[in-house]
Amino acid sequence: MITLYGIKNCDTVKKARNWLDLHGIEYRFHDFREDGLEAAAVSAWLAELGWEQLVNKRSTSWKALDARDRETMDEKSALRAIMAQPTLIKRPLLDTGHERFTGFSAANYQQIFNRHTL
């Protein structure tokens, strides 16, 4: 089962959801704020993607972090930071069941779903 993680009022998440809907791709939407996050899942994402891929350095959540925390960020501290502030995750996070991807572009989603025939 494909899962799209994000927050419902994020414009980029809305674009990804519209793309999936237009292409008839079934998925489950998981809202970080409403549905929460499990540390084990975030830890697995960090192991697969690395904190620099998973954390959105352009977000207001990132900018709100203490400068020292930003400078010394690693997988362990990223896990703590994300669990405290899930909006640090680059949105959306697409889980195809085989791979995870952050962000959205129509071209990237087309490539992803050409590889993962559903």
Side-chain angles (χ1 to χ4, degrees):
M1 170 56 108
I2 293 168
T3 304
L4 189 73
Y5 294 86
I7 54 177
K8 65 183 170 193
N9 62 339
C10 173
D11 288 339
T12 308
V13 170
K14 289 177 186 176
K15 289 176 187 176
R17 293 183 78 180
N18 286 337
W19 191 95
L20 292 168
D21 291 341
L22 281 170
H23 291 83
I25 297 169
E26 290 186 33
Y27 66 96
R28 182 176 74 82
F29 179 65
H30 182 105
D31 190 302
F32 296 147
R33 288 186 177 146
E34 293 177 12
D35 303 321
L37 284 174
E38 293 183 16
V42 176
S43 185
W45 299 338
L46 286 164
E48 179 180 348
L49 301 169
W51 79 266
E52 292 173 322
Q53 171 89 20
L54 189 62
V55 172
N56 183 358
K57 293 183 184 177
R58 295 187 312 191
S59 71
T60 55
S61 300
W62 172 260
K63 293 171 187 169
L65 290 175
D66 182 83
R68 188 175 189 307
D69 290 338
R70 290 192 308 261
E71 291 166 9
T72 60
M73 183 72 63
D74 61 14
E75 265 74 15
K76 191 173 183 179
S77 59
L79 175 61
R80 286 192 305 273
I82 289 169
M83 294 310 297
Q85 187 58 259
T87 55
L88 278 169
I89 294 176
K90 190 180 293 182
R91 300 181 301 264
L93 179 111
L94 175 69
D95 182 342
T96 65
H98 307 287
E99 292 179 274
R100 267 68 35 207
F101 304 90
T102 58
F104 170 76
S105 83
N108 286 347
Y109 270 40
Q110 190 65 54
Q111 286 182 332
I112 290 164
F113 289 103
N114 282 345
R115 285 198 317 259
H116 298 284
T117 306
L118 304 174

